[in-house]
CSV table of all heavy atoms in Angstrom, one decimal:
chain,number,residue,atom,x,y,z
A,1,GLY,N,-73.6,110.0,1.8
A,1,GLY,CA,-74.7,109.3,1.1
A,1,GLY,C,-74.9,107.9,1.7
A,1,GLY,O,-75.4,107.8,2.9
A,2,GLU,N,-74.5,106.9,1.0
A,2,GLU,CA,-74.8,105.5,1.4
A,2,GLU,C,-73.5,104.7,1.6
A,2,GLU,O,-72.6,104.8,0.8
A,2,GLU,CB,-75.6,104.9,0.2
A,2,GLU,CG,-76.8,104.1,0.6
A,2,GLU,CD,-77.5,103.6,-0.7
A,2,GLU,OE1,-78.0,104.4,-1.5
A,2,GLU,OE2,-77.6,102.4,-0.9
A,3,LYS,N,-73.5,103.9,2.6
A,3,LYS,CA,-72.4,103.0,2.9
A,3,LYS,C,-72.6,101.8,1.9
A,3,LYS,O,-73.6,101.1,2.0
A,3,LYS,CB,-72.4,102.5,4.3
A,3,LYS,CG,-71.2,101.6,4.6
A,3,LYS,CD,-71.2,101.2,6.1
A,3,LYS,CE,-70.0,100.3,6.4
A,3,LYS,NZ,-70.0,99.9,7.8
A,4,VAL,N,-71.6,101.5,1.1
A,4,VAL,CA,-71.7,100.5,0.1
A,4,VAL,C,-70.4,99.6,0.2
A,4,VAL,O,-69.3,100.1,0.2
A,4,VAL,CB,-71.8,101.0,-1.3
A,4,VAL,CG1,-72.0,99.9,-2.3
A,4,VAL,CG2,-73.0,102.0,-1.4
A,5,THR,N,-70.6,98.3,0.2
A,5,THR,CA,-69.4,97.4,0.2
A,5,THR,C,-68.9,97.4,-1.2
A,5,THR,O,-69.6,97.6,-2.2
A,5,THR,CB,-69.7,96.0,0.7
A,5,THR,OG1,-70.6,95.4,-0.3
A,5,THR,CG2,-70.4,96.0,2.1
A,6,VAL,N,-67.6,97.0,-1.4
A,6,VAL,CA,-67.0,96.8,-2.7
A,6,VAL,C,-67.8,95.8,-3.5
A,6,VAL,O,-68.1,96.0,-4.7
A,6,VAL,CB,-65.5,96.5,-2.6
A,6,VAL,CG1,-65.0,96.2,-4.0
A,6,VAL,CG2,-64.8,97.6,-1.9
A,7,LYS,N,-68.2,94.7,-2.8
A,7,LYS,CA,-68.9,93.6,-3.5
A,7,LYS,C,-70.3,94.2,-4.0
A,7,LYS,O,-70.7,93.9,-5.1
A,7,LYS,CB,-69.2,92.5,-2.5
A,7,LYS,CG,-70.0,91.3,-3.0
A,7,LYS,CD,-69.2,90.5,-4.1
A,7,LYS,CE,-69.8,89.2,-4.4
A,7,LYS,NZ,-71.1,89.2,-4.9
A,8,MET,N,-71.0,95.0,-3.2
A,8,MET,CA,-72.3,95.5,-3.6
A,8,MET,C,-72.1,96.4,-4.8
A,8,MET,O,-72.9,96.4,-5.7
A,8,MET,CB,-72.9,96.3,-2.4
A,8,MET,CG,-73.5,95.5,-1.3
A,8,MET,SD,-73.9,96.6,0.1
A,8,MET,CE,-75.1,97.7,-0.6
A,9,LEU,N,-71.1,97.3,-4.8
A,9,LEU,CA,-70.8,98.2,-5.8
A,9,LEU,C,-70.6,97.4,-7.2
A,9,LEU,O,-71.2,97.8,-8.2
A,9,LEU,CB,-69.5,99.0,-5.5
A,9,LEU,CG,-69.2,100.1,-6.5
A,9,LEU,CD1,-70.1,101.3,-6.4
A,9,LEU,CD2,-67.7,100.6,-6.2
A,10,LEU,N,-69.8,96.4,-7.1
A,10,LEU,CA,-69.6,95.6,-8.3
A,10,LEU,C,-70.8,94.8,-8.8
A,10,LEU,O,-71.1,94.7,-10.0
A,10,LEU,CB,-68.4,94.6,-8.1
A,10,LEU,CG,-67.1,95.2,-7.7
A,10,LEU,CD1,-66.0,94.1,-7.4
A,10,LEU,CD2,-66.6,96.1,-8.8
A,11,ASP,N,-71.6,94.4,-7.8
A,11,ASP,CA,-72.9,93.7,-8.2
A,11,ASP,C,-73.8,94.7,-8.9
A,11,ASP,O,-74.5,94.3,-9.8
A,11,ASP,CB,-73.5,93.1,-7.0
A,11,ASP,CG,-72.8,91.8,-6.5
A,11,ASP,OD1,-72.0,91.3,-7.3
A,11,ASP,OD2,-73.0,91.4,-5.3
A,12,TYR,N,-73.9,95.9,-8.3
A,12,TYR,CA,-74.7,96.9,-9.0
A,12,TYR,C,-74.3,97.2,-10.4
A,12,TYR,O,-75.1,97.2,-11.3
A,12,TYR,CB,-74.6,98.2,-8.2
A,12,TYR,CG,-75.5,98.3,-6.9
A,12,TYR,CD1,-75.0,99.0,-5.8
A,12,TYR,CD2,-76.7,97.8,-6.8
A,12,TYR,CE1,-75.7,99.1,-4.6
A,12,TYR,CE2,-77.5,97.9,-5.7
A,12,TYR,CZ,-77.0,98.5,-4.6
A,12,TYR,OH,-77.7,98.6,-3.4
A,13,LEU,N,-73.0,97.3,-10.6
A,13,LEU,CA,-72.4,97.5,-11.9
A,13,LEU,C,-72.7,96.4,-12.9
A,13,LEU,O,-72.9,96.6,-14.1
A,13,LEU,CB,-70.9,97.8,-11.8
A,13,LEU,CG,-70.5,99.2,-11.2
A,13,LEU,CD1,-69.0,99.2,-11.0
A,13,LEU,CD2,-70.9,100.3,-12.1
A,14,GLU,N,-72.6,95.2,-12.4
A,14,GLU,CA,-72.9,94.0,-13.2
A,14,GLU,C,-74.4,94.0,-13.7
A,14,GLU,O,-74.7,93.8,-14.9
A,14,GLU,CB,-72.7,92.7,-12.4
A,14,GLU,CG,-73.0,91.4,-13.2
A,14,GLU,CD,-72.7,90.2,-12.5
A,14,GLU,OE1,-71.6,90.0,-11.9
A,14,GLU,OE2,-73.6,89.3,-12.4
A,15,ASP,N,-75.3,94.4,-12.8
A,15,ASP,CA,-76.7,94.5,-13.1
A,15,ASP,C,-76.9,95.6,-14.2
A,15,ASP,O,-77.8,95.5,-15.1
A,15,ASP,CB,-77.6,94.8,-11.9
A,15,ASP,CG,-77.7,93.6,-11.0
A,15,ASP,OD1,-77.4,92.5,-11.4
A,15,ASP,OD2,-78.0,93.8,-9.8
A,16,ILE,N,-76.2,96.7,-14.0
A,16,ILE,CA,-76.4,97.9,-14.9
A,16,ILE,C,-75.8,97.7,-16.3
A,16,ILE,O,-76.4,98.0,-17.3
A,16,ILE,CB,-75.8,99.1,-14.3
A,16,ILE,CG1,-76.6,99.5,-13.0
A,16,ILE,CG2,-75.8,100.3,-15.3
A,16,ILE,CD1,-75.8,100.5,-12.1
A,17,THR,N,-74.6,97.1,-16.3
A,17,THR,CA,-73.8,97.0,-17.6
A,17,THR,C,-73.9,95.6,-18.3
A,17,THR,O,-73.7,95.5,-19.5
A,17,THR,CB,-72.3,97.2,-17.3
A,17,THR,OG1,-71.8,96.2,-16.5
A,17,THR,CG2,-72.1,98.6,-16.7
A,18,GLY,N,-74.3,94.6,-17.5
A,18,GLY,CA,-74.2,93.2,-18.1
A,18,GLY,C,-72.9,92.6,-18.1
A,18,GLY,O,-72.7,91.4,-18.4
A,19,VAL,N,-71.9,93.4,-17.6
A,19,VAL,CA,-70.5,92.8,-17.5
A,19,VAL,C,-70.4,92.0,-16.2
A,19,VAL,O,-70.8,92.5,-15.2
A,19,VAL,CB,-69.5,94.0,-17.5
A,19,VAL,CG1,-68.0,93.4,-17.2
A,19,VAL,CG2,-69.5,94.7,-18.8
A,20,LYS,N,-69.8,90.9,-16.3
A,20,LYS,CA,-69.7,90.0,-15.1
A,20,LYS,C,-68.7,90.6,-14.1
A,20,LYS,O,-67.6,91.1,-14.4
A,20,LYS,CB,-69.2,88.6,-15.5
A,20,LYS,CG,-70.2,87.8,-16.2
A,20,LYS,CD,-71.4,87.4,-15.2
A,20,LYS,CE,-72.4,86.5,-15.9
A,20,LYS,NZ,-73.6,86.3,-15.0
A,21,ALA,N,-69.1,90.7,-12.8
A,21,ALA,CA,-68.2,91.2,-11.8
A,21,ALA,C,-67.1,90.2,-11.5
A,21,ALA,O,-67.4,89.0,-11.5
A,21,ALA,CB,-69.0,91.5,-10.5
A,22,PRO,N,-65.9,90.6,-11.1
A,22,PRO,CA,-64.8,89.7,-10.8
A,22,PRO,C,-65.2,88.9,-9.5
A,22,PRO,O,-65.8,89.4,-8.6
A,22,PRO,CB,-63.6,90.6,-10.5
A,22,PRO,CG,-64.2,92.0,-10.2
A,22,PRO,CD,-65.5,92.0,-11.0
A,23,LYS,N,-64.9,87.6,-9.5
A,23,LYS,CA,-65.2,86.8,-8.4
A,23,LYS,C,-64.1,86.6,-7.4
A,23,LYS,O,-64.3,86.2,-6.3
A,23,LYS,CB,-65.6,85.4,-8.9
A,23,LYS,CG,-66.8,85.4,-9.9
A,23,LYS,CD,-68.1,85.9,-9.2
A,23,LYS,CE,-69.2,85.9,-10.2
A,23,LYS,NZ,-70.4,86.5,-9.7
A,24,PHE,N,-62.8,86.9,-7.9
A,24,PHE,CA,-61.7,86.7,-7.1
A,24,PHE,C,-61.5,87.8,-6.1
A,24,PHE,O,-61.4,89.0,-6.4
A,24,PHE,CB,-60.4,86.5,-7.9
A,24,PHE,CG,-59.2,86.2,-7.2
A,24,PHE,CD1,-59.0,85.0,-6.5
A,24,PHE,CD2,-58.2,87.2,-7.1
A,24,PHE,CE1,-57.9,84.7,-5.8
A,24,PHE,CE2,-57.0,86.9,-6.4
A,24,PHE,CZ,-56.9,85.7,-5.7
A,25,LYS,N,-61.4,87.5,-4.8
A,25,LYS,CA,-61.3,88.4,-3.7
A,25,LYS,C,-59.9,88.3,-3.2
A,25,LYS,O,-59.5,87.3,-2.7
A,25,LYS,CB,-62.3,88.2,-2.6
A,25,LYS,CG,-62.2,89.2,-1.5
A,25,LYS,CD,-63.4,89.1,-0.5
A,25,LYS,CE,-63.3,87.9,0.3
A,25,LYS,NZ,-64.4,87.8,1.3
A,26,LEU,N,-59.2,89.5,-3.2
A,26,LEU,CA,-57.8,89.5,-2.6
A,26,LEU,C,-57.9,89.5,-1.1
A,26,LEU,O,-58.7,90.2,-0.5
A,26,LEU,CB,-57.1,90.8,-3.1
A,26,LEU,CG,-56.6,90.8,-4.6
A,26,LEU,CD1,-56.0,92.2,-4.9
A,26,LEU,CD2,-55.5,89.8,-4.8
A,27,ALA,N,-57.0,88.8,-0.5
A,27,ALA,CA,-57.0,88.8,1.0
A,27,ALA,C,-56.5,90.2,1.4
A,27,ALA,O,-55.6,90.7,0.8
A,27,ALA,CB,-56.0,87.7,1.5
A,28,TYR,N,-57.1,90.7,2.5
A,28,TYR,CA,-56.7,92.0,3.0
A,28,TYR,C,-55.2,92.2,3.3
A,28,TYR,O,-54.6,93.1,2.9
A,28,TYR,CB,-57.5,92.4,4.2
A,28,TYR,CG,-57.1,93.7,4.8
A,28,TYR,CD1,-57.5,94.9,4.2
A,28,TYR,CD2,-56.4,93.8,6.0
A,28,TYR,CE1,-57.2,96.2,4.7
A,28,TYR,CE2,-56.0,95.0,6.5
A,28,TYR,CZ,-56.4,96.2,5.9
A,28,TYR,OH,-56.1,97.4,6.4
A,29,ALA,N,-54.6,91.2,4.0
A,29,ALA,CA,-53.2,91.2,4.3
A,29,ALA,C,-52.3,91.3,3.1
A,29,ALA,O,-51.3,92.0,3.0
A,29,ALA,CB,-52.9,90.0,5.2
A,30,PHE,N,-52.7,90.5,2.1
A,30,PHE,CA,-51.9,90.5,0.8
A,30,PHE,C,-52.0,91.8,0.1
A,30,PHE,O,-51.0,92.4,-0.3
A,30,PHE,CB,-52.4,89.3,-0.1
A,30,PHE,CG,-51.7,89.3,-1.4
A,30,PHE,CD1,-50.5,88.8,-1.6
A,30,PHE,CD2,-52.4,89.8,-2.5
A,30,PHE,CE1,-49.8,88.8,-2.8
A,30,PHE,CE2,-51.7,89.8,-3.8
A,30,PHE,CZ,-50.5,89.3,-3.9
A,31,ALA,N,-53.3,92.3,0.0
A,31,ALA,CA,-53.5,93.6,-0.6
A,31,ALA,C,-52.7,94.7,0.1
A,31,ALA,O,-52.1,95.6,-0.6
A,31,ALA,CB,-55.0,94.0,-0.6
A,32,LYS,N,-52.7,94.7,1.4
A,32,LYS,CA,-52.0,95.7,2.2
A,32,LYS,C,-50.5,95.6,1.9
A,32,LYS,O,-49.8,96.7,1.8
A,32,LYS,CB,-52.3,95.5,3.7
A,32,LYS,CG,-51.7,96.5,4.6
A,32,LYS,CD,-52.5,97.8,4.6
A,32,LYS,CE,-52.0,98.8,5.7
A,32,LYS,NZ,-52.6,100.1,5.6
A,33,MET,N,-50.0,94.4,1.9
A,33,MET,CA,-48.6,94.2,1.7
A,33,MET,C,-48.1,94.7,0.3
A,33,MET,O,-47.0,95.2,0.2
A,33,MET,CB,-48.3,92.7,1.9
A,33,MET,CG,-46.8,92.4,1.8
A,33,MET,SD,-46.5,90.6,2.1
A,33,MET,CE,-47.4,89.9,0.7
A,34,THR,N,-48.9,94.4,-0.7
A,34,THR,CA,-48.6,94.7,-2.1
A,34,THR,C,-49.0,96.1,-2.5
A,34,THR,O,-48.7,96.5,-3.6
A,34,THR,CB,-49.2,93.7,-3.0
A,34,THR,OG1,-50.6,93.7,-2.9
A,34,THR,CG2,-48.6,92.3,-2.8
A,35,GLY,N,-49.7,96.9,-1.6
A,35,GLY,CA,-50.1,98.2,-1.9
A,35,GLY,C,-49.1,99.1,-2.5
A,35,GLY,O,-49.3,99.8,-3.6
A,36,PRO,N,-47.9,99.2,-1.9
A,36,PRO,CA,-46.8,100.1,-2.5
A,36,PRO,C,-46.4,99.7,-3.9
A,36,PRO,O,-46.1,100.6,-4.7
A,36,PRO,CB,-45.7,99.9,-1.5
A,36,PRO,CG,-46.3,99.5,-0.2
A,36,PRO,CD,-47.5,98.6,-0.6
A,37,PHE,N,-46.4,98.4,-4.2
A,37,PHE,CA,-46.1,98.0,-5.6
A,37,PHE,C,-47.2,98.3,-6.6
A,37,PHE,O,-46.9,98.6,-7.7
A,37,PHE,CB,-45.8,96.4,-5.5
A,37,PHE,CG,-44.7,96.0,-4.6
A,37,PHE,CD1,-45.0,95.5,-3.4
A,37,PHE,CD2,-43.4,96.3,-5.0
A,37,PHE,CE1,-44.0,95.1,-2.5
A,37,PHE,CE2,-42.3,95.9,-4.1
A,37,PHE,CZ,-42.6,95.3,-2.9
A,38,ALA,N,-48.4,98.2,-6.1
A,38,ALA,CA,-49.6,98.5,-7.0
A,38,ALA,C,-49.5,100.0,-7.3
A,38,ALA,O,-49.8,100.4,-8.4
A,38,ALA,CB,-50.9,98.2,-6.3
A,39,GLU,N,-49.1,100.8,-6.3
A,39,GLU,CA,-49.0,102.3,-6.5
A,39,GLU,C,-48.0,102.6,-7.6
A,39,GLU,O,-48.2,103.4,-8.5
A,39,GLU,CB,-48.7,103.0,-5.2
A,39,GLU,CG,-48.7,104.5,-5.3
A,39,GLU,CD,-48.5,105.1,-4.0
A,39,GLU,OE1,-48.6,104.5,-2.9
A,39,GLU,OE2,-48.1,106.3,-4.0
A,40,LEU,N,-46.9,101.9,-7.5
A,40,LEU,CA,-45.8,102.0,-8.5
A,40,LEU,C,-46.2,101.6,-9.9
A,40,LEU,O,-46.0,102.3,-10.9
A,40,LEU,CB,-44.6,101.2,-8.1
A,40,LEU,CG,-43.3,101.3,-9.0
A,40,LEU,CD1,-42.8,102.7,-9.0
A,40,LEU,CD2,-42.3,100.3,-8.5
A,41,TYR,N,-47.0,100.5,-10.0
A,41,TYR,CA,-47.6,100.1,-11.3
A,41,TYR,C,-48.4,101.2,-11.9
A,41,TYR,O,-48.3,101.5,-13.1
A,41,TYR,CB,-48.4,98.8,-11.1
A,41,TYR,CG,-49.3,98.5,-12.2
A,41,TYR,CD1,-48.8,98.0,-13.5
A,41,TYR,CD2,-50.7,98.8,-12.1
A,41,TYR,CE1,-49.6,97.8,-14.5
A,41,TYR,CE2,-51.5,98.5,-13.2
A,41,TYR,CZ,-51.0,98.1,-14.4
A,41,TYR,OH,-51.8,97.9,-15.4
A,42,TYR,N,-49.4,101.7,-11.1
A,42,TYR,CA,-50.3,102.8,-11.6
A,42,TYR,C,-49.5,104.0,-12.1
A,42,TYR,O,-49.8,104.7,-13.1
A,42,TYR,CB,-51.3,103.1,-10.6
A,42,TYR,CG,-52.4,102.1,-10.4
A,42,TYR,CD1,-52.5,101.4,-9.2
A,42,TYR,CD2,-53.3,101.8,-11.5
A,42,TYR,CE1,-53.5,100.4,-9.1
A,42,TYR,CE2,-54.2,100.8,-11.3
A,42,TYR,CZ,-54.4,100.1,-10.1
A,42,TYR,OH,-55.3,99.2,-10.0
A,43,LYS,N,-48.4,104.3,-11.3
A,43,LYS,CA,-47.6,105.5,-11.7
A,43,LYS,C,-46.9,105.3,-13.0
A,43,LYS,O,-46.9,106.1,-13.9
A,43,LYS,CB,-46.5,105.7,-10.6
A,43,LYS,CG,-45.8,107.0,-10.7
A,43,LYS,CD,-44.9,107.3,-9.5
A,43,LYS,CE,-44.2,108.6,-9.6
A,43,LYS,NZ,-43.4,108.9,-8.4
A,44,ILE,N,-46.4,104.1,-13.2
A,44,ILE,CA,-45.7,103.7,-14.5
A,44,ILE,C,-46.7,103.7,-15.6
A,44,ILE,O,-46.4,104.2,-16.7
A,44,ILE,CB,-45.0,102.4,-14.4
A,44,ILE,CG1,-43.8,102.5,-13.4
A,44,ILE,CG2,-44.5,101.9,-15.8
A,44,ILE,CD1,-43.2,101.1,-13.0
A,45,ALA,N,-47.9,103.2,-15.4
A,45,ALA,CA,-49.0,103.1,-16.4
A,45,ALA,C,-49.7,104.4,-16.6
A,45,ALA,O,-50.5,104.5,-17.5
A,45,ALA,CB,-50.0,102.0,-16.0
């Protein structure tokens, strides 16, 4: 279909729902490093 950035996706959702999109952007290196811990969190939750 369409190539969409995460920011675009959230902006579309803000327009549709009226809910404010998160402004805080995680640094890629930090997100990559903490990925395994995030996966563990979702598993526990």
Side-chain angles (χ1 to χ4, degrees):
E2 225 175 298
K3 181 178 177 180
V4 183
T5 67
V6 176
K7 179 71 167 57
M8 284 169 61
L9 185 72
L10 298 179
D11 286 346
Y12 281 143
L13 287 172
E14 180 176 308
D15 289 342
I16 293 164
T17 64
V19 174
K20 289 291 183 184
K23 302 297 182 187
F24 183 68
K25 181 171 71 174
L26 288 173
Y28 176 74
F30 176 79
K32 183 77 173 172
M33 181 179 67
T34 57
F37 301 102
E39 187 177 340
L40 179 63
Y41 162 76
Y42 286 114
K43 191 173 182 180
I44 292 169

